[in-house]
Amino acid sequence: AAKAAWPKAMREQIAAVRAALAHGGASSEVLASHFKRNPEASVRAVLEALEELGMVRQEAAVYRLTA
């Protein structure tokens, strides 16, 4: 499967991370590897924002969507 481009706009970045997490929990490294240029810092920033909003929880290094 070809890697997707990392979206430029925050709204699309959030949607991309949430869509990836819908398939199950993953670390920021694994999520970033789904995208071209491996944007780990950006993925981590989106995960941290979603965690602060209560939409994602982190257990060990694994992020999961909240119910």
Side-chain angles (χ1 to χ4, degrees):
K3 292 184 178 187
W6 179 242
K8 288 182 174 53
M10 177 63 80
R11 181 183 295 262
E12 285 88 24
Q13 290 174 1
I14 291 168
V17 169
R18 293 190 70 206
L21 285 175
H23 300 292
S27 67
S28 60
E29 295 86 0
V30 169
L31 290 170
S33 74
H34 292 211
F35 300 98
K36 295 176 184 172
R37 297 183 295 131
N38 199 34
E40 191 180 341
S42 297
V43 168
R44 195 174 314 110
V46 170
L47 287 167
E48 289 170 359
L50 290 173
E51 186 176 23
E52 185 67 26
L53 293 168
M55 301 172 84
V56 165
R57 69 181 186 280
Q58 181 183 10
E59 300 167 355
V62 176
Y63 290 89
R64 299 183 188 282
L65 293 175
T66 55

